[in-house]
């Protein structure tokens, strides 16, 4: 699997999970995923997962109001988020944001001279940001990608996508969860990553 393949899939999934559905980043992706044109091109998921995701995308009502309501409930609040998108919620005993695992990721980024450019004070371990960082690493520092995925993303991402799939209550984000989970498994196989550390999850 090429770095380009990983970058492409990571950018699409990262944007879907970080930006609101009515944003300029996501609008063209909704149009793409609503068509079936992406299925043959998508490089890193099983045929079964792609078929399942395509079916969910096809049946989803992507009217601005409905999709924005789903986004608000899953990523913004005001109520407790059913599938919090930050790694430290899963990895820290207190299930807090900006926890120890966030600080460890921040330190790793600093050591490797990776400078996030965020317009808001979003924790670096937001799932969407981490997927987009995976894309950046695949293109610019592929020698760091395996360590980043193994140590910082994959120990909790599977649990997040499992929760997102169960709690989304909207076929669009159910489809994103199915596609993302299978895609990350595809990366792991393609990159022949070392065993993912068994970290205790608290959420």
């Amino acid at each position: 699997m090429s770095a380009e393949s990983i970058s492409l899939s990571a950018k699409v999934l990262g944007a879907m999970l970080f930006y609101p559905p009515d944003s300029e980043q996501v609008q063209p992706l909704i149009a793409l995923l609503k068509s079936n044109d992406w299925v043959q091109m998508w490089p890193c998921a099983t045929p079964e997962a792609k078929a399942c995701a395509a079916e969910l995308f096809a049946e989803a009502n992507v009217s601005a109001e409905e999709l924005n309501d789903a986004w608000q409930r899953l990523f913004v609040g005001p109520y407790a988020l059913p599938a919090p998108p930050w790694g430290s919620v899963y990895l820290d005993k207190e299930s807090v944001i900006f926890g120890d695992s966030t600080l460890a990721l921040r330190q790793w980024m600093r050591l490797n001279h990776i400078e996030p450019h965020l317009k808001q004070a979003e924790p670096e371990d937001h799932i969407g940001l981490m997927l987009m960082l995976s894309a950046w690493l695949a293109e610019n520092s592929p020698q760091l990608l395996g360590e980043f995925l193994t140590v910082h993303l994959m120990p909790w991402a599977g649990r997040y996508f499992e929760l997102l799939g169960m709690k989304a209550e909207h076929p669009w984000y159910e489809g994103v969860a199915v596609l993302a989970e299978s895609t990350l498994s595809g990366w792991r196989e393609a990159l022949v990553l070392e065993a993912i550390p068994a970290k205790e999850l608290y959420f």
Side-chain angles (χ1 to χ4, degrees):
M1 182 186 302
S2 68
E4 187 182 15
S5 297
I6 292 174
S7 175
L8 171 71
S9 51
K11 282 177 181 174
V12 172
L13 293 169
M16 292 296 310
L17 293 164
F18 186 70
Y19 297 108
D22 57 359
S23 65
E24 62 181 344
Q25 293 89 347
V26 173
Q27 279 292 301
L29 300 179
I30 291 174
L32 172 68
L33 295 174
K34 265 304 233 184
S35 74
N36 268 344
D37 298 344
W38 65 273
V39 175
Q40 293 301 319
M41 300 183 293
W42 194 266
C44 321
T46 64
E48 295 79 11
K50 289 193 283 187
C52 178
E55 196 172 314
L56 287 162
F57 293 146
E59 74 176 64
N61 178 350
V62 293
S63 69
E65 185 178 5
E66 182 160 325
L67 207 50
N68 279 329
D69 285 350
W71 162 265
Q72 188 81 19
R73 192 178 66 82
L74 290 167
F75 294 97
V76 181
Y79 305 111
L81 304 187
W86 305 282
S88 63
V89 173
Y90 302 86
L91 296 171
D92 284 27
K93 199 172 284 190
E94 305 300 322
S95 290
V96 293
I97 62 171
F98 288 112
D100 288 344
S101 60
T102 316
L103 301 181
L105 171 61
R106 187 177 292 172
Q107 174 70 1
W108 181 86
M109 292 170 69
R110 191 179 299 122
L111 287 172
N112 289 291
H113 311 291
I114 298 166
E115 187 67 44
H117 297 286
L118 299 177
K119 292 179 181 174
Q120 68 263 41
E122 185 69 60
E124 290 88 340
D125 61 349
H126 185 290
I127 186 69
L129 288 177
M130 292 185 79
L131 287 165
M132 289 188 282
L133 178 53
S134 301
W136 187 89
L137 291 170
E139 292 176 9
N140 297 283
S141 295
Q143 74 279 7
L144 295 174
L145 180 60
E147 180 187 0
F148 171 72
L149 294 174
T150 302
V151 175
H152 296 287
L153 178 59
M154 289 190 171
W156 66 277
R159 173 62 178 155
Y160 169 73
F161 292 129
E162 177 189 21
L163 268 182
L164 181 64
M166 289 191 302
K167 308 280 191 177
E169 296 180 14
H170 192 290
W172 187 263
Y173 289 107
E174 290 171 18
V176 172
V178 168
L179 187 59
E181 191 167 18
S182 185
T183 298
L184 263 66
S185 294
W187 293 356
R188 185 184 302 165
E189 288 177 23
L191 296 169
V192 196
L193 296 181
E194 295 177 21
I196 306 303
K199 294 186 181 180
E200 190 166 355
L201 300 179
Y202 298 97
F203 194 93

